[in-house]
Amino acid sequence: MTRICWRWLRWLLRGFALVLLFTPWYVNVEQDYLGPAFLVAAFDGLTLGLEAIMRAGHVLLAGLAVMIVLWALALVLIPAPVVRPKKKPKGKVAPDSRPKKRPKQVANNDDERITPTL
């Protein structure tokens, strides 16, 4: 999905997706099970109220802040690729102006006939 985007937008969207999918947080306060923080925050918000979103939301916000800092550093430190225009070859005729080749005609020899043998 991000192939058609600009380089800076592609990196931002991919970083955002990575933070959302791979940031873990505890599913329950009393257990050691971990789940994606955005799912934990969404479920807590639906079941316990809007105040409970921040139980996993602060981890997501911290991850997004780190991702944005790394994204900005990458844009500054990694140079953009240089796109050079293609040069036209000198001395060659453009393909559109060349005359089209005629197909070779095969001589029709009626004298030579192949007869099937059994």
Side-chain angles (χ1 to χ4, degrees):
M1 285 177 50
T2 59
R3 280 189 207 162
I4 59 173
C5 298
W6 296 290
R7 178 180 71 123
W8 59 271
L9 182 61
R10 176 178 32 225
W11 289 357
L12 181 68
L13 291 174
R14 288 178 182 176
F16 187 73
L18 284 173
V19 168
L20 282 181
L21 291 177
F22 295 114
T23 303
W25 193 247
Y26 296 102
V27 175
N28 193 350
V29 179
E30 300 162 357
Q31 295 176 347
D32 291 336
Y33 298 120
L34 294 173
F38 80 97
L39 287 178
V40 173
F43 188 73
D44 285 349
L46 289 174
T47 57
L48 302 175
L50 295 177
E51 301 84 28
I53 290 177
M54 286 313 292
R55 185 171 75 90
H58 70 280
V59 176
L60 275 176
L61 292 176
L64 288 174
V66 169
M67 186 269 307
I68 289 175
V69 168
L70 291 176
W71 171 73
L73 283 174
L75 285 181
V76 171
L77 296 177
I78 298 174
V82 177
V83 179
R84 296 180 183 168
K86 294 182 180 179
K87 294 181 181 180
K88 293 182 180 178
K90 295 181 181 179
K92 291 188 176 181
V93 179
D96 296 339
S97 62
R98 291 183 184 170
K100 293 184 179 179
K101 294 182 180 180
R102 294 182 185 172
K104 294 182 180 180
Q105 293 181 356
V106 179
N108 188 4
N109 294 337
D110 291 333
D111 298 336
E112 298 177 13
R113 292 188 181 175
I114 300 173
T115 57
T117 58
L118 296 174

